[in-house]
Amino acid sequence: MAKINQSPNTIQTAAIASASELVMRYGDQVLLDGATLAIHEGERIGLVGRNGCGKSTFLRIVAEELKPDSGKLAHRKDLIIGYLPQTFELDESATVMENVLSGAKHISDLIDEYETMDSESSKSGELLDKITHLDGWSLEQRADSLINHLHAPSADKEVKTLSGGEKRRVALCRALLARPDFLILDEPTNHLDTEAIEWLEVFLSRYKGACLFVTHDRYFLDRIATRMVELFRGEFISYQGNYTEYLLARAERMATEELQEHKRQRFLKKELDWVRRAPKARGSKAKSRIDAYFEVAEKDAPEQDLDVDLIIPPAPRLANKIIELRDVGMGFDGRRLFDHLDLDLEEGQRIGIVGRNGLGKSTLIKIMLGELEADSGTVEIGKRTQINYVDQNRLALDDSKSVWEDVGEGNQYVRLGDENISLRAYLKRFLFTDDRINTKIELLSGGERSRVLLAKILKRGGNVIVLDEPTNDLDLGTLRMLEEALTGFRGCVIAVSHDRYFLNRVCNGILAFEGEGVVKYNVGNYDYYLEKRAEGSKAAKTGSSSVVSGAKIEKVREPARKLKWKEEKELEEIEGVILAAEEEVAQLEASFAAPDFYENHKEDWKELEDKLAAEKKKVSNLYARWEELSAIKAACEAGG
């Protein structure tokens, strides 16, 4: 049965689909073990869990593309389903528009039938009512709108000419077109830029049907989900609310389980002492006490959800020159991507590269790595610079090899700085048990393959890590560990990403491709960049800002200027202000974690939630301001 953490005021609507006691195995691996879940009208359910735990398998079962080993699946009669799987098929010989329209074939069929039917027929009126109810007459306009807002390729392009990311956007348009009763989306934000993700958030927040989705985008989960369901050890645990509320409720549940296990162990210890001291002749009461002991002893301790222990080898020492771009320009097919672009990478910088697809982000990375030659300008790599590049397709895995063979590449040890660690111990840090270490790559889940790739890539080390969409296909636990590892990395990080949460946690600088050849650099995280951009837009409307020319990077800090007296004072005091703000956040989070929080705050819990969000944003802004002031001071000192 699904365990449910639910607020007392939750109103339950009618179920449109339900899964009961589902069991699904692949060899020795049990993905679903009596899993039960009901999906209700209007719900937007975020499904989370460790990579390889069976999330995509469950979506396939609910979409009726896969049959479970046992259990029952039920749908409401005449339920219309829209489904975006991880692995999808498009008609390669057809155009983008034809593929998108195929997502509403049931509506197109009604229109075709209506148009070939005698207008005087009684069925003609019924068909017209159905088509009108489904808003069928506006199908092409809706398809155009989806293609435009999700930044899919132009409608007349043939699918066979598209990249993998472009095809995925077409498949997403196809799933959304019919406005089905039930949307099932597996990683809908993959290969979408930030602007398209934000549009999709608005679309789904207004969507009247039910939606079940898997995503690694934590902001998307926060803004869209009305219920979170965790797949853990083959069963579902359900939490009302969004991702933040899920984290709080899950922490409370785990704390309760730990307390209960502590009490159980204390009871067992006490009873075991009694059993050892008790005389051999025991009466019925003593026998009953012994029976109670064994009954409690046979219960299993709560299973722990282990996290990946990501290791990035220590960064070799960097020289003063790391990567230096001077007056770099690049164009394709007569279109200029950027011109006059300058960049000096500095030790400790973690730069997030953002912007719409097709503006030149990956092209810039390839120029920096020497894989492409720029039309103009120069690129210099420092003598001590060792680049570890993680591209969108990452490294190829050999499906015929085992995890051990592919990651080890003939070695039984992995070199981490000055130490050697056994390959088995290294793989266990990526949550590969002894039996999974020897499993063939072809038999792994998508999530397990991602962990193999990370293990294979990160062991190469380097002092400049370059990542192109690093968050795709990683579960939330692994993402958190990757973020912590990158934040603690003493070299440099350059990451092309649309994951706003990742950009905020990891990056201390944002390089933004804003379109029309404009590229800007801001010190600070992604939220701080958005604030500065909004301020710039406001200033532009009032005519108080200068026009940006070309694509030269504009840094927020003024080069080689001194801090003003007020700024010096602000920098001296800001650490104390940050500590106070973090303490406020910690106190608020502690109050939310209290078991009786919602009972004590029935009237003001929403205000406290808003206050917590505001305080977190304040901390983020303070850190960004600290980075900015420190950068100005460092630049001034470096300039003499």
Side-chain angles (χ1 to χ4, degrees), residues 397-424:
L397 294 178
D398 188 338
D399 284 348
S400 66
K401 291 182 177 179
S402 68
V403 174
W404 171 276
E405 291 168 334
D406 207 19
V407 177
E409 298 175 301
N411 299 308
Q412 295 193 19
Y413 292 90
V414 174
R415 187 74 175 172
L416 299 177
D418 297 328
E419 297 181 11
N420 279 333
I421 180 173
S422 74
L423 179 58
R424 188 171 300 276

PDB file of all heavy atoms in Angstrom, residues 397-424:
ATOM      1  N   LEU A 397      29.490   4.490 -23.851  1.00  0.00           N
ATOM      2  CA  LEU A 397      29.627   3.306 -23.016  1.00  0.00           C
ATOM      3  C   LEU A 397      29.604   2.076 -23.918  1.00  0.00           C
ATOM      4  O   LEU A 397      28.896   2.039 -24.929  1.00  0.00           O
ATOM      5  CB  LEU A 397      28.497   3.229 -21.993  1.00  0.00           C
ATOM      6  CG  LEU A 397      28.466   4.321 -20.918  1.00  0.00           C
ATOM      7  CD1 LEU A 397      27.265   4.136 -20.015  1.00  0.00           C
ATOM      8  CD2 LEU A 397      29.744   4.312 -20.091  1.00  0.00           C
ATOM      9  N   ASP A 398      30.352   1.062 -23.526  1.00  0.00           N
ATOM     10  CA  ASP A 398      30.387  -0.188 -24.287  1.00  0.00           C
ATOM     11  C   ASP A 398      29.380  -1.146 -23.669  1.00  0.00           C
ATOM     12  O   ASP A 398      29.613  -1.702 -22.589  1.00  0.00           O
ATOM     13  CB  ASP A 398      31.804  -0.768 -24.243  1.00  0.00           C
ATOM     14  CG  ASP A 398      31.969  -1.963 -25.180  1.00  0.00           C
ATOM     15  OD1 ASP A 398      30.939  -2.577 -25.520  1.00  0.00           O
ATOM     16  OD2 ASP A 398      33.107  -2.263 -25.553  1.00  0.00           O
ATOM     17  N   ASP A 399      28.242  -1.335 -24.348  1.00  0.00           N
ATOM     18  CA  ASP A 399      27.166  -2.159 -23.800  1.00  0.00           C
ATOM     19  C   ASP A 399      27.576  -3.609 -23.561  1.00  0.00           C
ATOM     20  O   ASP A 399      26.949  -4.313 -22.764  1.00  0.00           O
ATOM     21  CB  ASP A 399      25.943  -2.126 -24.731  1.00  0.00           C
ATOM     22  CG  ASP A 399      25.167  -0.824 -24.612  1.00  0.00           C
ATOM     23  OD1 ASP A 399      25.440  -0.071 -23.660  1.00  0.00           O
ATOM     24  OD2 ASP A 399      24.292  -0.559 -25.455  1.00  0.00           O
ATOM     25  N   SER A 400      28.613  -4.069 -24.266  1.00  0.00           N
ATOM     26  CA  SER A 400      29.021  -5.466 -24.118  1.00  0.00           C
ATOM     27  C   SER A 400      29.870  -5.692 -22.867  1.00  0.00           C
ATOM     28  O   SER A 400      30.099  -6.826 -22.459  1.00  0.00           O
ATOM     29  CB  SER A 400      29.819  -5.911 -25.354  1.00  0.00           C
ATOM     30  OG  SER A 400      31.059  -5.203 -25.430  1.00  0.00           O
ATOM     31  N   LYS A 401      30.327  -4.590 -22.232  1.00  0.00           N
ATOM     32  CA  LYS A 401      31.178  -4.708 -21.049  1.00  0.00           C
ATOM     33  C   LYS A 401      30.364  -4.567 -19.767  1.00  0.00           C
ATOM     34  O   LYS A 401      29.260  -4.029 -19.763  1.00  0.00           O
ATOM     35  CB  LYS A 401      32.275  -3.633 -21.082  1.00  0.00           C
ATOM     36  CG  LYS A 401      33.324  -3.848 -22.171  1.00  0.00           C
ATOM     37  CD  LYS A 401      34.397  -2.766 -22.104  1.00  0.00           C
ATOM     38  CE  LYS A 401      35.488  -3.003 -23.136  1.00  0.00           C
ATOM     39  NZ  LYS A 401      36.525  -1.938 -23.093  1.00  0.00           N
ATOM     40  N   SER A 402      30.957  -5.027 -18.675  1.00  0.00           N
ATOM     41  CA  SER A 402      30.347  -4.822 -17.358  1.00  0.00           C
ATOM     42  C   SER A 402      30.732  -3.441 -16.838  1.00  0.00           C
ATOM     43  O   SER A 402      31.616  -2.776 -17.402  1.00  0.00           O
ATOM     44  CB  SER A 402      30.831  -5.890 -16.374  1.00  0.00           C
ATOM     45  OG  SER A 402      32.214  -5.701 -16.096  1.00  0.00           O
ATOM     46  N   VAL A 403      30.087  -3.015 -15.757  1.00  0.00           N
ATOM     47  CA  VAL A 403      30.426  -1.738 -15.125  1.00  0.00           C
ATOM     48  C   VAL A 403      31.910  -1.731 -14.755  1.00  0.00           C
ATOM     49  O   VAL A 403      32.632  -0.766 -15.001  1.00  0.00           O
ATOM     50  CB  VAL A 403      29.543  -1.497 -13.875  1.00  0.00           C
ATOM     51  CG1 VAL A 403      29.987  -0.239 -13.140  1.00  0.00           C
ATOM     52  CG2 VAL A 403      28.074  -1.396 -14.262  1.00  0.00           C
ATOM     53  N   TRP A 404      32.369  -2.832 -14.154  1.00  0.00           N
ATOM     54  CA  TRP A 404      33.767  -2.966 -13.725  1.00  0.00           C
ATOM     55  C   TRP A 404      34.723  -2.784 -14.903  1.00  0.00           C
ATOM     56  O   TRP A 404      35.687  -2.027 -14.830  1.00  0.00           O
ATOM     57  CB  TRP A 404      33.962  -4.340 -13.084  1.00  0.00           C
ATOM     58  CG  TRP A 404      35.382  -4.706 -12.777  1.00  0.00           C
ATOM     59  CD1 TRP A 404      36.299  -5.245 -13.636  1.00  0.00           C
ATOM     60  CD2 TRP A 404      36.068  -4.540 -11.532  1.00  0.00           C
ATOM     61  NE1 TRP A 404      37.509  -5.452 -13.008  1.00  0.00           N
ATOM     62  CE2 TRP A 404      37.392  -5.022 -11.708  1.00  0.00           C
ATOM     63  CE3 TRP A 404      35.698  -4.048 -10.288  1.00  0.00           C
ATOM     64  CZ2 TRP A 404      38.332  -5.021 -10.687  1.00  0.00           C
ATOM     65  CZ3 TRP A 404      36.634  -4.053  -9.261  1.00  0.00           C
ATOM     66  CH2 TRP A 404      37.935  -4.532  -9.461  1.00  0.00           C
ATOM     67  N   GLU A 405      34.418  -3.450 -16.008  1.00  0.00           N
ATOM     68  CA  GLU A 405      35.308  -3.419 -17.175  1.00  0.00           C
ATOM     69  C   GLU A 405      35.333  -2.043 -17.831  1.00  0.00           C
ATOM     70  O   GLU A 405      36.391  -1.541 -18.217  1.00  0.00           O
ATOM     71  CB  GLU A 405      34.861  -4.468 -18.202  1.00  0.00           C
ATOM     72  CG  GLU A 405      35.070  -5.904 -17.738  1.00  0.00           C
ATOM     73  CD  GLU A 405      34.365  -6.907 -18.624  1.00  0.00           C
ATOM     74  OE1 GLU A 405      33.341  -6.539 -19.271  1.00  0.00           O
ATOM     75  OE2 GLU A 405      34.804  -8.068 -18.669  1.00  0.00           O
ATOM     76  N   ASP A 406      34.151  -1.404 -17.937  1.00  0.00           N
ATOM     77  CA  ASP A 406      34.079  -0.136 -18.670  1.00  0.00           C
ATOM     78  C   ASP A 406      34.693   1.012 -17.881  1.00  0.00           C
ATOM     79  O   ASP A 406      35.396   1.853 -18.437  1.00  0.00           O
ATOM     80  CB  ASP A 406      32.623   0.184 -19.026  1.00  0.00           C
ATOM     81  CG  ASP A 406      32.528   1.042 -20.279  1.00  0.00           C
ATOM     82  OD1 ASP A 406      33.500   1.080 -21.050  1.00  0.00           O
ATOM     83  OD2 ASP A 406      31.481   1.673 -20.486  1.00  0.00           O
ATOM     84  N   VAL A 407      34.437   1.059 -16.577  1.00  0.00           N
ATOM     85  CA  VAL A 407      34.996   2.139 -15.762  1.00  0.00           C
ATOM     86  C   VAL A 407      36.475   1.883 -15.471  1.00  0.00           C
ATOM     87  O   VAL A 407      37.299   2.796 -15.514  1.00  0.00           O
ATOM     88  CB  VAL A 407      34.214   2.314 -14.440  1.00  0.00           C
ATOM     89  CG1 VAL A 407      34.858   3.392 -13.570  1.00  0.00           C
ATOM     90  CG2 VAL A 407      32.766   2.679 -14.721  1.00  0.00           C
ATOM     91  N   GLY A 408      36.830   0.622 -15.196  1.00  0.00           N
ATOM     92  CA  GLY A 408      38.208   0.299 -14.835  1.00  0.00           C
ATOM     93  C   GLY A 408      39.178   0.409 -15.990  1.00  0.00           C
ATOM     94  O   GLY A 408      40.351   0.737 -15.784  1.00  0.00           O
ATOM     95  N   GLU A 409      38.693   0.141 -17.210  1.00  0.00           N
ATOM     96  CA  GLU A 409      39.549   0.216 -18.399  1.00  0.00           C
ATOM     97  C   GLU A 409      40.860  -0.547 -18.206  1.00  0.00           C
ATOM     98  O   GLU A 409      41.948  -0.088 -18.545  1.00  0.00           O
ATOM     99  CB  GLU A 409      39.828   1.680 -18.764  1.00  0.00           C
ATOM    100  CG  GLU A 409      38.563   2.456 -19.108  1.00  0.00           C
ATOM    101  CD  GLU A 409      38.804   3.939 -19.349  1.00  0.00           C
ATOM    102  OE1 GLU A 409      39.305   4.604 -18.405  1.00  0.00           O
ATOM    103  OE2 GLU A 409      38.488   4.421 -20.443  1.00  0.00           O
ATOM    104  N   GLY A 410      40.719  -1.749 -17.591  1.00  0.00           N
ATOM    105  CA  GLY A 410      41.878  -2.614 -17.401  1.00  0.00           C
ATOM    106  C   GLY A 410      42.632  -2.391 -16.114  1.00  0.00           C
ATOM    107  O   GLY A 410      43.599  -3.114 -15.826  1.00  0.00           O
ATOM    108  N   ASN A 411      42.253  -1.402 -15.313  1.00  0.00           N
ATOM    109  CA  ASN A 411      42.929  -1.108 -14.041  1.00  0.00           C
ATOM    110  C   ASN A 411      42.063  -1.526 -12.855  1.00  0.00           C
ATOM    111  O   ASN A 411      40.836  -1.467 -12.924  1.00  0.00           O
ATOM    112  CB  ASN A 411      43.234   0.393 -13.929  1.00  0.00           C
ATOM    113  CG  ASN A 411      44.162   0.853 -15.045  1.00  0.00           C
ATOM    114  OD1 ASN A 411      45.211   0.268 -15.257  1.00  0.00           O
ATOM    115  ND2 ASN A 411      43.746   1.893 -15.760  1.00  0.00           N
ATOM    116  N   GLN A 412      42.698  -1.926 -11.771  1.00  0.00           N
ATOM    117  CA  GLN A 412      41.967  -2.309 -10.563  1.00  0.00           C
ATOM    118  C   GLN A 412      41.972  -1.197  -9.516  1.00  0.00           C
ATOM    119  O   GLN A 412      41.363  -1.345  -8.457  1.00  0.00           O
ATOM    120  CB  GLN A 412      42.566  -3.582  -9.961  1.00  0.00           C
ATOM    121  CG  GLN A 412      42.398  -4.794 -10.872  1.00  0.00           C
ATOM    122  CD  GLN A 412      42.696  -6.096 -10.151  1.00  0.00           C
ATOM    123  OE1 GLN A 412      42.697  -6.154  -8.919  1.00  0.00           O
ATOM    124  NE2 GLN A 412      42.927  -7.152 -10.921  1.00  0.00           N
ATOM    125  N   TYR A 413      42.654  -0.093  -9.849  1.00  0.00           N
ATOM    126  CA  TYR A 413      42.716   1.034  -8.913  1.00  0.00           C
ATOM    127  C   TYR A 413      42.417   2.334  -9.651  1.00  0.00           C
ATOM    128  O   TYR A 413      42.633   2.447 -10.857  1.00  0.00           O
ATOM    129  CB  TYR A 413      44.089   1.111  -8.250  1.00  0.00           C
ATOM    130  CG  TYR A 413      44.370  -0.043  -7.311  1.00  0.00           C
ATOM    131  CD1 TYR A 413      44.978  -1.201  -7.781  1.00  0.00           C
ATOM    132  CD2 TYR A 413      43.988   0.031  -5.973  1.00  0.00           C
ATOM    133  CE1 TYR A 413      45.208  -2.271  -6.932  1.00  0.00           C
ATOM    134  CE2 TYR A 413      44.221  -1.033  -5.114  1.00  0.00           C
ATOM    135  CZ  TYR A 413      44.824  -2.179  -5.595  1.00  0.00           C
ATOM    136  OH  TYR A 413      45.039  -3.242  -4.750  1.00  0.00           O
ATOM    137  N   VAL A 414      41.929   3.315  -8.895  1.00  0.00           N
ATOM    138  CA  VAL A 414      41.675   4.655  -9.431  1.00  0.00           C
ATOM    139  C   VAL A 414      42.575   5.623  -8.680  1.00  0.00           C
ATOM    140  O   VAL A 414      42.645   5.587  -7.443  1.00  0.00           O
ATOM    141  CB  VAL A 414      40.190   5.063  -9.240  1.00  0.00           C
ATOM    142  CG1 VAL A 414      39.967   6.506  -9.672  1.00  0.00           C
ATOM    143  CG2 VAL A 414      39.286   4.119 -10.015  1.00  0.00           C
ATOM    144  N   ARG A 415      43.277   6.474  -9.417  1.00  0.00           N
ATOM    145  CA  ARG A 415      44.188   7.440  -8.810  1.00  0.00           C
ATOM    146  C   ARG A 415      43.416   8.691  -8.430  1.00  0.00           C
ATOM    147  O   ARG A 415      42.794   9.337  -9.276  1.00  0.00           O
ATOM    148  CB  ARG A 415      45.301   7.809  -9.805  1.00  0.00           C
ATOM    149  CG  ARG A 415      46.394   8.681  -9.231  1.00  0.00           C
ATOM    150  CD  ARG A 415      47.297   7.906  -8.317  1.00  0.00           C
ATOM    151  NE  ARG A 415      48.432   8.699  -7.838  1.00  0.00           N
ATOM    152  CZ  ARG A 415      49.263   8.258  -6.898  1.00  0.00           C
ATOM    153  NH1 ARG A 415      49.094   7.054  -6.362  1.00  0.00           N
ATOM    154  NH2 ARG A 415      50.270   9.002  -6.512  1.00  0.00           N
ATOM    155  N   LEU A 416      43.419   9.043  -7.144  1.00  0.00           N
ATOM    156  CA  LEU A 416      42.762  10.253  -6.654  1.00  0.00           C
ATOM    157  C   LEU A 416      43.809  11.109  -5.955  1.00  0.00           C
ATOM    158  O   LEU A 416      44.123  10.897  -4.789  1.00  0.00           O
ATOM    159  CB  LEU A 416      41.616   9.915  -5.692  1.00  0.00           C
ATOM    160  CG  LEU A 416      40.463   9.084  -6.258  1.00  0.00           C
ATOM    161  CD1 LEU A 416      39.444   8.774  -5.184  1.00  0.00           C
ATOM    162  CD2 LEU A 416      39.795   9.818  -7.412  1.00  0.00           C
ATOM    163  N   GLY A 417      44.363  12.074  -6.687  1.00  0.00           N
ATOM    164  CA  GLY A 417      45.424  12.909  -6.114  1.00  0.00           C
ATOM    165  C   GLY A 417      46.654  12.078  -5.843  1.00  0.00           C
ATOM    166  O   GLY A 417      47.221  11.458  -6.736  1.00  0.00           O
ATOM    167  N   ASP A 418      47.067  12.031  -4.560  1.00  0.00           N
ATOM    168  CA  ASP A 418      48.262  11.275  -4.176  1.00  0.00           C
ATOM    169  C   ASP A 418      47.927   9.854  -3.734  1.00  0.00           C
ATOM    170  O   ASP A 418      48.806   9.112  -3.296  1.00  0.00           O
ATOM    171  CB  ASP A 418      48.989  11.997  -3.030  1.00  0.00           C
ATOM    172  CG  ASP A 418      49.483  13.375  -3.459  1.00  0.00           C
ATOM    173  OD1 ASP A 418      49.830  13.518  -4.654  1.00  0.00           O
ATOM    174  OD2 ASP A 418      49.514  14.288  -2.610  1.00  0.00           O
ATOM    175  N   GLU A 419      46.653   9.468  -3.812  1.00  0.00           N
ATOM    176  CA  GLU A 419      46.236   8.170  -3.295  1.00  0.00           C
ATOM    177  C   GLU A 419      45.669   7.292  -4.400  1.00  0.00           C
ATOM    178  O   GLU A 419      45.140   7.783  -5.393  1.00  0.00           O
ATOM    179  CB  GLU A 419      45.177   8.343  -2.193  1.00  0.00           C
ATOM    180  CG  GLU A 419      45.665   9.084  -0.966  1.00  0.00           C
ATOM    181  CD  GLU A 419      44.573   9.195   0.093  1.00  0.00           C
ATOM    182  OE1 GLU A 419      43.535   8.527  -0.050  1.00  0.00           O
ATOM    183  OE2 GLU A 419      44.761   9.971   1.045  1.00  0.00           O
ATOM    184  N   ASN A 420      45.765   5.976  -4.176  1.00  0.00           N
ATOM    185  CA  ASN A 420      45.076   5.000  -5.017  1.00  0.00           C
ATOM    186  C   ASN A 420      43.894   4.443  -4.234  1.00  0.00           C
ATOM    187  O   ASN A 420      44.024   4.154  -3.031  1.00  0.00           O
ATOM    188  CB  ASN A 420      46.007   3.845  -5.403  1.00  0.00           C
ATOM    189  CG  ASN A 420      46.912   4.217  -6.557  1.00  0.00           C
ATOM    190  OD1 ASN A 420      46.557   5.063  -7.371  1.00  0.00           O
ATOM    191  ND2 ASN A 420      48.075   3.590  -6.639  1.00  0.00           N
ATOM    192  N   ILE A 421      42.757   4.291  -4.881  1.00  0.00           N
ATOM    193  CA  ILE A 421      41.591   3.674  -4.254  1.00  0.00           C
ATOM    194  C   ILE A 421      41.187   2.505  -5.139  1.00  0.00           C
ATOM    195  O   ILE A 421      41.271   2.588  -6.371  1.00  0.00           O
ATOM    196  CB  ILE A 421      40.434   4.693  -4.091  1.00  0.00           C
ATOM    197  CG1 ILE A 421      39.223   4.034  -3.430  1.00  0.00           C
ATOM    198  CG2 ILE A 421      40.035   5.321  -5.405  1.00  0.00           C
ATOM    199  CD1 ILE A 421      38.114   5.014  -3.089  1.00  0.00           C
ATOM    200  N   SER A 422      40.787   1.399  -4.522  1.00  0.00           N
ATOM    201  CA  SER A 422      40.412   0.230  -5.321  1.00  0.00           C
ATOM    202  C   SER A 422      39.193   0.565  -6.177  1.00  0.00           C
ATOM    203  O   SER A 422      38.317   1.349  -5.779  1.00  0.00           O
ATOM    204  CB  SER A 422      40.104  -0.966  -4.420  1.00  0.00           C
ATOM    205  OG  SER A 422      38.859  -0.805  -3.780  1.00  0.00           O
ATOM    206  N   LEU A 423      39.155  -0.027  -7.354  1.00  0.00           N
ATOM    207  CA  LEU A 423      38.043   0.229  -8.275  1.00  0.00           C
ATOM    208  C   LEU A 423      36.714  -0.170  -7.643  1.00  0.00           C
ATOM    209  O   LEU A 423      35.705   0.529  -7.802  1.00  0.00           O
ATOM    210  CB  LEU A 423      38.269  -0.549  -9.580  1.00  0.00           C
ATOM    211  CG  LEU A 423      37.191  -0.408 -10.660  1.00  0.00           C
ATOM    212  CD1 LEU A 423      37.006   1.048 -11.072  1.00  0.00           C
ATOM    213  CD2 LEU A 423      37.550  -1.267 -11.870  1.00  0.00           C
ATOM    214  N   ARG A 424      36.702  -1.268  -6.887  1.00  0.00           N
ATOM    215  CA  ARG A 424      35.462  -1.722  -6.235  1.00  0.00           C
ATOM    216  C   ARG A 424      34.967  -0.676  -5.235  1.00  0.00           C
ATOM    217  O   ARG A 424      33.780  -0.347  -5.205  1.00  0.00           O
ATOM    218  CB  ARG A 424      35.707  -3.066  -5.544  1.00  0.00           C
ATOM    219  CG  ARG A 424      34.441  -3.729  -4.993  1.00  0.00           C
ATOM    220  CD  ARG A 424      34.745  -5.149  -4.515  1.00  0.00           C
ATOM    221  NE  ARG A 424      35.239  -5.977  -5.596  1.00  0.00           N
ATOM    222  CZ  ARG A 424      34.456  -6.613  -6.466  1.00  0.00           C
ATOM    223  NH1 ARG A 424      33.144  -6.491  -6.365  1.00  0.00           N
ATOM    224  NH2 ARG A 424      34.983  -7.358  -7.411  1.00  0.00           N
TER     225      ARG A 424
END
